[in-house]
Amino acid sequence: MLDWLTEAEIAVILADAAFSEAEPDRAALLRELNELGYDENTAETDVVAAAVHLGNLLREEIRSEAERATSPLFHRLVLAKIDSLGARQQPAPAVGADGTLFGVPPLPEVFVGREGDIAHLRARVNPDRPRSGGMPVVAVRGWPGIGKSTIAAAVARDATVNGWYPDGVLWAGLSEAGDVRGQLGSWFRRLGLGPLEVTDTIDDAGRLLSGRLRDARALLIVDDAWTTEDAVPFLVGGPRCAALVTTRMTEVAQQLDAENYVLPELPDTVGMELIERLAPSVVADDSGGIRELVAELEGLPLALKVAARLLAAEHHLGWGVSDLLEELHEGVRLLEAQAPADRADTASGTTPTIAALFAKSTDRLAAENRRQFAALGVFAHRPATFAHEAMAAVWQVDDPRPGIRLLVARGLLEPVAAGRFQMHALLAAHARTLWAVK
C-alpha cells in the first residue's frame, strides 16, 4: 500500500498537510490514486481512508521532528516537499560527474606533517563506517591559524575520499562576514538550479539544495563557520553524502551536534621541517636559534610560515637574524606581520596582519569579555595556562566560570586539566597588546 508514497504529488499533499490543521485532501488523494490505477469500487481496502490516517500520523511525527535539522525524516520528507516535482520524478544528474573540486582552494606550496590528521578525517567521512541517521557531519576546530581550512582542502583532494564521493566536492567559504547567500548562489549555479532568486529565503534555498543532493554522493565542506545559523543551510546532503565544517568556535561545533575533531599543533620536529623548507639557509646558519623559536611558537602553522618568511627576507639582505629572532620570541613582530598570501581578503584585495586575523575573534566579544581576555596577557605567555582561581583574581570577580565558558566557546581558551585552561602563546601575545592599549 505504501508504494504510492514514492510518487511526488501524493508525498507533497501529505507533507503540506503535516503543517496545517486540516487533514489530507481526500478528493485530491483519490484523483492521484485513480491515475495510478486504484479503483475504489473493486479495492479490498479503503486506501484513501488509510492514506488519511497515515497523513495524520505523519503530521504528528513531522511536527515533532521538523526542528531537528539532522533528523532523517527532516531530510527525506519535510525538505523534499518544496522540490520541483519534475526534478523529483527524474534521476538527478551528478553533482560533478568528473569528481569536480568546486570552490576548493589550492594547498599551500609547503604542506607537511598532517598525514595522521588526514587519515583520521578520512576515516570519519568513510561512507562504509557504521552510523545511524542521515548525513554524517564532522566539525574540525582549533586555534586561529592552526590550519583548519588547509586540512579540509587536503581531505577534499585525497584520492580515497574522491573515490568514495564521485559526485565531487562542494566548498562554501564563510568567514566572519557570513556570505551565506553568495555561497548558496554558487552552489545553485554549480548544481544546475539556476540563480538564487531575491525572493528565495535561506530556508527555501537549503530545501532546494536538499532535494538536489538527496541521491548524490558528494562531500560538502563548510569552511570557517562563525555561527551555527550560517552553517546549517549547507548541511543538506542525502544519506550518501558527508560534510566537514571547520570553525574556530567551539560553540558552533557543539551546536551542530557534529562529531568533533580538534586539529592539534604541529610537533616541533615538523615545525623545524616547515621552516627549513621555507628558509633553508637560515636554519643552516642558526639551527639552535630556530629550534628555540619553533618551540616558542607552539606548532601554529600560520606563525611558523610568517616567521620563516621574515627570517628568509632578513637573511637575504646579508644580515644576521639574531635580533629578529629575539623580536619573534616576544611575539609582537609576528602579530604585526602580514599573513601568507593564501589568507588574503578577496573582497578588499589586501592581506591582513596576524593580529587582524586574531582580532576577528576578540572584536566580537562584549567589552567585559574582551577585557577579561586581555587581562590574561599579564600571565607568563609560555606555557599560557591558568587556574580558574587565578583568572578570578585578575578579573576581580567571585565566579570566573561565565567568562571562562564564553572564551572556551569562542575558541580562545581550551581546557587542559581539572580547573586549568590554556591559551596559545601567540594569542597570549595578542592579549598583551590589547592589555597595553587598555
Side-chain angles (χ1 to χ4, degrees), residues 94 101 114 116 146 178 315 336 364 368 384 410 435:
L101 302 178
R114 290 301 193 189
I146 198 67
H315 191 272
E336 295 173 347
R364 294 168 68 95
E368 176 60 18
R410 299 300 174 84
W435 186 256

Side-chain angles (χ1 to χ4, degrees), residues 91-102 165-171 186-193 208-220 236-238 240-241:
V95 173
D98 55 354
T100 301
L101 302 178
F102 181 70
Y165 298 104
D167 288 333
V169 178
L170 290 169
W171 181 286
S186 295
W187 283 25
F188 263 51
R189 291 188 294 274
R190 179 67 187 91
L191 297 175
L193 291 172
L208 287 169
L209 284 173
S210 175
R212 179 65 179 81
L213 293 169
R214 182 171 45 254
D215 297 321
R217 289 185 294 168
L219 178 64
L220 314 180
V236 291
R240 297 192 295 173
C241 292

Side-chain angles (χ1 to χ4, degrees), residues 97-419:
D98 55 354
T100 301
L101 302 178
F102 181 70
V104 179
L107 291 176
E109 182 180 354
V110 177
F111 178 58
V112 295
R114 290 301 193 189
E115 295 81 3
D117 301 299
I118 294 173
H120 277 292
L121 291 171
R122 182 195 301 123
R124 296 184 184 206
V125 300
N126 185 342
D128 295 328
R129 184 184 183 195
R131 56 187 172 86
S132 59
M135 178 184 70
V137 180
V138 180
V140 181
R141 65 177 185 87
W143 300 119
I146 198 67
K148 300 180 290 294
S149 300
T150 301
I151 200 69
V155 172
R157 286 175 162 76
D158 182 80
T160 301
V161 172
N162 292 162
W164 290 335
Y165 298 104
D167 288 333
V169 178
L170 290 169
W171 181 286
L174 294 181
S175 81
E176 79 284 2
D179 182 24
V180 175
R181 287 192 68 87
Q183 295 298 307
L184 284 173
S186 295
W187 283 25
F188 263 51
R189 291 188 294 274
R190 179 67 187 91
L191 297 175
L193 291 172
L196 182 60
E197 302 294 342
V198 175
T199 55
D200 289 334
T201 68
I202 297 300
D203 287 345
D204 290 342
R207 289 165 184 157
L208 287 169
L209 284 173
S210 175
R212 179 65 179 81
L213 293 169
R214 182 171 45 254
D215 297 321
R217 289 185 294 168
L219 178 64
L220 314 180
I221 298 180
V222 183
D223 182 48
D224 201 14
W226 286 66
T227 69
T228 306
E229 293 74 18
D230 285 351
V232 165
F234 301 92
L235 304 180
V236 291
R240 297 192 295 173
C241 292
L244 282 180
V245 179
T246 73
T247 181
R248 65 178 69 186
M249 302 290 196
T250 305
E251 61 187 353
V252 171
Q254 293 172 338
Q255 290 167 0
L256 287 174
D257 194 26
E259 185 174 4
N260 274 227
Y261 183 75
V262 180
L263 190 61
E265 297 88 348
L266 294 175
D268 285 356
T269 53
V270 176
M272 278 295 291
E273 180 185 354
L274 180 58
I275 290 190
E276 189 169 17
R277 295 273 295 274
L278 294 170
S281 57
V282 177
V283 176
D285 285 354
D286 191 354
S287 60
I290 300 300
R291 190 171 291 107
E292 291 178 7
L293 176 65
V294 167
E296 191 83 16
L297 297 180
E298 295 184 343
L300 194 71
L302 175 62
L304 291 165
K305 291 175 183 178
V306 172
R309 188 186 68 222
L310 293 173
L311 289 165
E314 198 87 345
H315 191 272
H316 179 70
L317 295 173
W319 300 333
V321 297
S322 56
D323 289 343
L324 179 57
L325 278 173
E326 185 174 344
E327 293 180 43
L328 294 177
H329 280 292
E330 293 300 318
V332 176
R333 178 68 180 270
L334 272 175
L335 292 174
E336 295 173 347
Q338 283 190 324
D342 60 4
R343 299 302 296 265
D345 185 330
T346 55
S348 65
T350 60
T351 303
T353 62
I354 294 182
L357 293 174
F358 287 169
K360 290 181 178 182
S361 291
T362 54
D363 286 353
R364 294 168 68 95
L365 298 173
E368 176 60 18
N369 297 121
R370 192 160 55 248
R371 184 195 69 80
Q372 291 176 333
F373 172 81
L376 297 179
V378 305
F379 292 101
H381 67 285
R382 188 173 187 275
T385 61
F386 326 101
H388 79 276
E389 295 88 354
M391 285 188 274
V394 75
W395 290 348
Q396 298 180 337
V397 297
D398 293 330
D399 184 2
R401 289 176 295 181
I404 292 172
R405 290 191 191 102
L406 190 283
L407 294 179
V408 169
R410 299 300 174 84
L412 297 169
L413 277 180
E414 284 284 343
V416 291

